[in-house]
Amino acid sequence: MISREFIIRTNPVDINASNEVVWTVLTDTRKYGEWNPFTSKIQTDFAIGSPVNLLVRMGPIKFGITERLCAFEKPRLIAWEKKFGAHWLLFAKREQHLEHVDNTSCRYYNIDKLTGLLAPIVYCCFAGYMRRGFDDVAKGLKIQAEAI
């Protein structure tokens, strides 16, 4: 069975702060609720394979979810993933990217990849909420990092 990949990619947001400043904001889990309207709470030690406990807002509903950290490449990439049931049923991987522009600015964007039998259903039902949520993260991150 060939699995099709459904991708939710946000437009890059230019941030007038260095990669290091933005990375510090992204990895300061105690302050997520101050700037991140999509993921208001996160708990992790950022070790590969460790749990990432998230409180996420999907439209009007907030819910907790636990994923696994699969990438932590300072200061350019944080990613976590989750298998829902069997890998072939539904697998999701979220990547948060930082690209160096110059010493005082960088670019941020999200990519969420869905695969598995349920991926087209999840994509159809939730991609809009996810895209809006990821855009909200980018806006909040920009405001928080530029204020430092």
Side-chain angles (χ1 to χ4, degrees):
M1 179 175 144
I2 296 174
S3 182
R4 185 165 167 222
E5 190 172 67
F6 292 80
I7 297 175
I8 301 157
R9 182 185 176 108
T10 60
N11 291 325
V13 172
D14 289 334
I15 301 175
N16 293 316
S18 68
N19 276 49
E20 290 74 21
V21 167
V22 177
W23 186 263
T24 298
V25 173
L26 274 176
T27 57
D28 187 352
T29 58
R30 297 164 305 166
K31 294 186 179 179
Y32 258 54
E34 295 176 16
W35 63 269
N36 191 330
F38 181 67
T39 308
S40 59
K41 188 174 181 182
I42 180 174
Q43 292 176 308
T44 188
D45 61 9
F46 291 112
I48 300 298
S50 292
V52 181
N53 298 305
L54 307 159
L55 181 61
V56 176
R57 176 186 50 84
M58 192 74 71
I61 299 169
K62 282 190 174 184
F63 62 94
I65 189 169
T66 299
E67 303 200 13
R68 295 274 170 219
L69 194 78
C70 59
F72 190 78
E73 301 171 15
K74 182 181 180 181
R76 58 174 218 83
L77 174 66
I78 299 174
W80 45 74
E81 60 191 18
K82 180 155 181 80
K83 178 174 58 171
F84 296 83
H87 196 280
W88 58 265
L89 189 59
L90 180 61
F91 182 78
K93 180 179 180 182
R94 178 174 176 206
E95 301 172 352
Q96 297 181 80
H97 293 264
L98 281 176
E99 293 178 351
H100 177 82
V101 174
D102 59 36
N103 289 339
T104 60
S105 63
C106 64
R107 189 166 292 120
Y108 172 83
Y109 62 93
N110 284 273
I111 299 174
D112 201 87
K113 300 173 185 175
L114 303 169
T115 58
L117 189 62
L118 297 178
I121 296 166
V122 171
Y123 184 83
C124 287
C125 293
F126 299 105
Y129 289 126
M130 294 167 74
R131 186 172 285 108
R132 274 191 298 280
F134 297 158
D135 285 341
D136 288 348
V137 171
K139 290 174 193 169
L141 181 61
K142 176 179 174 66
I143 291 167
Q144 185 77 0
E146 290 179 353
I148 294 176

